[in-house]
Amino acid sequence: MSQASFVVVANRLPVDRDDNGGWRRSPGGLVTALEPVMKGVDGAWVGWPGKADLTLEPFDFDGTRLIPVTLSADDVQNYYEGFSNDTIWPLYHDVIAAPRYRRVWWDTYVEVNERFADAAAAAASPGATVWVQDYQLQLVPRMLREKRPDLTIGYFHHIPFPAYGLFSQLPWRKQVLEGLLGADVVGFQRVADAGNFARAVRRQFHYTTKSTGIHVPQEDGSVRNVLSKAFPISIDAQSYIELAQRPDIQARAREIREGLGNPRAVLLGVDRLDYTKGIRHRLKAFGELLEDGRLGVEDATLVQVASPSRERVEAYVQLRDEIELTVARTNGDFDTMSHTAIRYLHQAFPREEMVALYLAADVMLVTALRDGMNLVAKEYVASRIDNKGVLVLSEFAGAADELGSAVRINPHDIDGLKDAIMRAVEMPRAEQGRRMRALRRRVLDHDVRDWSRLFLDALSNATKKV
């Protein structure tokens, strides 16, 4: 097998099976973010093809070598649904749901991380750069360094990294920190996340941590420097602008508003169905505004897109039931023959339809209780080529660090959220334009290419200093 000079290691391959048994590019945020990076390099991508017990040979797709890692049904249950999404995900999202600590999950997590590390080590040419992605693979950097000390290794953490008081609950906290410290650069979404990581390392190992890096002692008595820093991820803003300029998508946006009965204000929420996204808080605030008479069903409709997510994990099954019950009750109380209070869509849509929704929406509600970044906020801003619309943004989303002209909210404060929604609905056009122009400048200046360039430059510089 030919080896690559640049290797991405991620839980999933960047493709999905289509109806004809072929492959199509996945719609996920990570794939979109890394697509421009993979173009024009001698690249390979190591990942799981998305189906249990599917064994495939490496194959080429769109100029990139794809190297599938096989996971059994037990692996999926223990490593992915178990440790990754029932232990790490809730723990790292401020214990909004209770994490569960099961040794069999951890043991499988170690085994699967080893498998990914083996595949990456085999795929990388001498002196290659390997970029490991996200919380499912936190042990891979160290495993890779032990197998291939010649490699330059980067790791990017797409979700929050918790404060030490929470992280210290993890029975395998030392092993996870050691795994991450195998990288030359450990990237985070927010400055606070990088700080939490450095503090955890200091508390566990008493290593020296400075702004220039973490000093990790080696067995031979030398010290290796690991840079821990924030690199806020972004989107391919230009692709959203191009879609928003298409007459057919603009026509679809008008059609969406007509289909909703042409309310004065269309409010929009777009999320994976996840307890971290604050969907329940959003529905509660909107329902109370209708109940208080501050909004009427003819004035405002909330469109909630909640794409299916982790449907075999119990917390997600329960969340779906709660949300659908709330939607049904609100609509039962307030719908008229011609207007619906909440239009709820438990499905995923292609990017073209999403941009039409963004153009149709007067107010975008991002009410996350905790979010690494939230690219939906940036997608909405990029799509608003008319400089209209209002972004209501949780201060607990990473995007809040960058998008200072949004209407900021604490989603736990339902009264404050209600006031923010009313402020957004009633905001004069001139103020909308002022805020949106500032938001768009930020998103266009710092797009996904900027993110990947900054990270890879830092990785290149970190290894030069050694």
Side-chain angles (χ1 to χ4, degrees), residues 187-392:
F188 296 94
Q189 301 280 26
R190 308 180 86 163
V191 172
D193 296 323
N196 286 344
F197 174 68
R199 274 187 290 278
V201 169
R202 221 165 33 239
R203 293 286 292 272
Q204 284 297 311
F205 303 123
H206 308 292
Y207 295 164
T208 303
T209 61
K210 298 181 176 176
S211 60
T212 51
I214 298 166
H215 297 173
V216 182
Q218 303 298 288
E219 285 179 8
D220 62 4
S222 65
V223 173
R224 196 168 61 78
N225 195 57
V226 176
L227 180 65
S228 161
K229 191 178 170 189
F231 300 89
I233 200 170
S234 194
I235 59 168
D236 181 5
Q238 198 55 43
S239 69
Y240 284 89
I241 291 169
E242 286 165 11
L243 287 171
Q245 288 169 336
R246 276 173 39 182
D248 60 321
I249 289 179
Q250 293 177 4
R252 175 66 187 136
R254 290 191 292 273
E255 199 178 277
I256 287 169
R257 289 190 74 98
E258 283 163 21
L260 296 170
N262 276 320
R264 186 162 60 89
V266 174
L267 285 66
L268 177 63
V270 175
D271 312 88
R272 270 190 321 102
L273 189 63
D274 193 291
Y275 49 75
T276 63
K277 301 296 185 182
I279 301 171
R280 286 175 290 202
H281 300 63
R282 185 183 312 164
L283 296 177
K284 183 175 177 60
F286 183 69
E288 286 190 13
L289 286 171
L290 294 173
E291 206 173 300
D292 299 344
R294 293 173 73 182
L295 282 178
V297 77
E298 298 83 7
D299 301 321
T301 296
L302 171 59
V303 178
Q304 176 61 56
V305 177
S307 55
S309 175
R310 300 170 191 160
E311 293 177 286
R312 297 193 333 181
V313 177
E314 181 56 38
Y316 289 78
V317 174
Q318 191 181 330
L319 175 69
R320 181 179 177 185
D321 288 347
E322 281 180 39
I323 286 172
E324 292 180 356
L325 184 62
T326 302
V327 169
R329 278 185 175 155
T330 305
N331 286 345
D333 288 344
F334 297 106
D335 279 9
T336 65
M337 289 299 180
S338 52
H339 290 90
T340 297
I342 302 169
R343 187 66 59 88
Y344 171 75
L345 303 156
H346 182 244
Q347 51 199 278
F349 292 98
R351 200 187 292 191
E352 290 80 0
E353 184 74 356
M354 292 313 306
V355 172
L357 270 170
Y358 294 148
L359 289 174
D362 302 287
V363 179
M364 181 83 219
L365 297 174
V366 177
T367 58
L369 307 180
R370 193 79 167 90
D371 212 335
M373 176 51 63
N374 196 286
L375 294 178
V376 163
K378 294 186 174 185
E379 290 170 6
Y380 178 71
V381 167
S383 301
R384 294 312 303 230
I385 56 176
D386 55 1
N387 288 318
K388 292 177 185 170
V390 183
L391 174 63
V392 175

